Amino acid sequence: MSVNKDLPHIFVLPEDRANQQLANGFHLEINKTRQMQVLDVARGWKNVLNLFNSDHVIKMNSNSNRFMVLLIDFDRKKSRLKTAKAAIPKSLADRVFVLGVWSEPEAFKKATLDSYETLGSKLAKDCREQTDTTWRHPLLQHNTSELDRLRKHVRPILF
């Protein structure tokens, strides 16, 4: 289902299938389902940045209602967030968020013994209830600054 582009909405651009399943689980928990859309996988974190710039920047510039979540694996690289943020035009920085598992979603799934969809659902519940139960997991703690920004802008749109 596509979003209502006349209202504030969020597109999620996942790196791979595991990230897409996390996003789908999150989507199952939101109140306004037409305000979020999980896109096709980009097949690599660099492809997420390339697709964002080639397919979404122009559309975001012409529609101030659009927000983006770039869902990538950090592959245990401290520089990944800085690199990703450098690829985002400054004019869109307030509406683009970079999130992901510190290593990769497979490690998060293995550590929690939950399915990707269940983990996504738990992350959404944390956002809705303004808690950090799942977001506090060691493989997600590096998202704190982006999560704070995300909650400020996106929570009212989805919940």
Side-chain angles (χ1 to χ4, degrees):
M1 181 182 306
S2 62
V3 298
N4 181 343
K5 294 176 184 169
D6 294 327
L7 296 173
H9 57 278
I10 295 96
F11 279 1
V12 179
L13 182 55
E15 173 178 338
D16 54 25
R17 182 75 177 122
N19 281 301
Q20 186 181 49
Q21 289 174 326
L22 285 170
N24 286 336
F26 190 102
H27 191 246
L28 293 172
E29 293 294 326
I30 64 173
N31 298 337
K32 302 171 187 171
T33 57
R34 291 225 32 221
Q35 297 322 113
M36 178 181 163
Q37 184 174 342
V38 180
L39 302 171
D40 291 334
V41 300
R43 292 181 167 54
W45 73 273
K46 288 182 180 179
N47 288 343
V48 168
L49 302 178
N50 291 337
L51 279 171
F52 169 72
N53 278 295
S54 66
D55 296 0
H56 298 282
V57 167
I58 291 172
K59 293 173 184 173
M60 285 188 76
N61 281 326
S62 65
N63 186 345
S64 62
N65 286 321
R66 181 170 295 180
F67 292 79
M68 291 284 303
V69 173
L70 307 179
L71 194 53
I72 64 172
D73 300 350
F74 280 75
D75 299 322
R76 300 185 190 277
K77 305 238 191 280
K78 291 180 181 179
S79 62
R80 185 69 45 95
L81 179 61
K82 185 177 180 180
T83 301
K85 286 183 150 284
I88 299 166
K90 290 187 190 310
S91 62
L92 299 176
D94 289 343
R95 294 189 287 134
V96 180
F97 309 91
V98 181
L99 298 170
V101 177
W102 176 242
S103 54
E104 55 187 22
E106 293 80 2
F108 185 39
K109 179 182 174 189
K110 184 177 179 181
T112 60
L113 302 177
D114 284 325
S115 70
Y116 295 121
E117 290 83 4
T118 298
L119 291 168
S121 174
K122 288 179 176 182
L123 294 170
K125 287 176 185 174
D126 268 355
C127 288
R128 183 178 54 242
E129 297 165 9
Q130 298 185 50
T131 59
D132 289 324
T133 306
T134 306
W135 285 103
R136 248 185 284 136
H137 191 280
L139 291 172
L140 297 180
Q141 288 178 342
H142 65 284
N143 289 302
T144 301
S145 63
E146 286 294 281
L147 182 60
D148 290 344
R149 286 185 338 105
L150 180 79
R151 283 181 169 168
K152 177 182 169 187
H153 295 286
V154 173
R155 190 176 178 280
I157 298 169
L158 299 179
F159 301 106

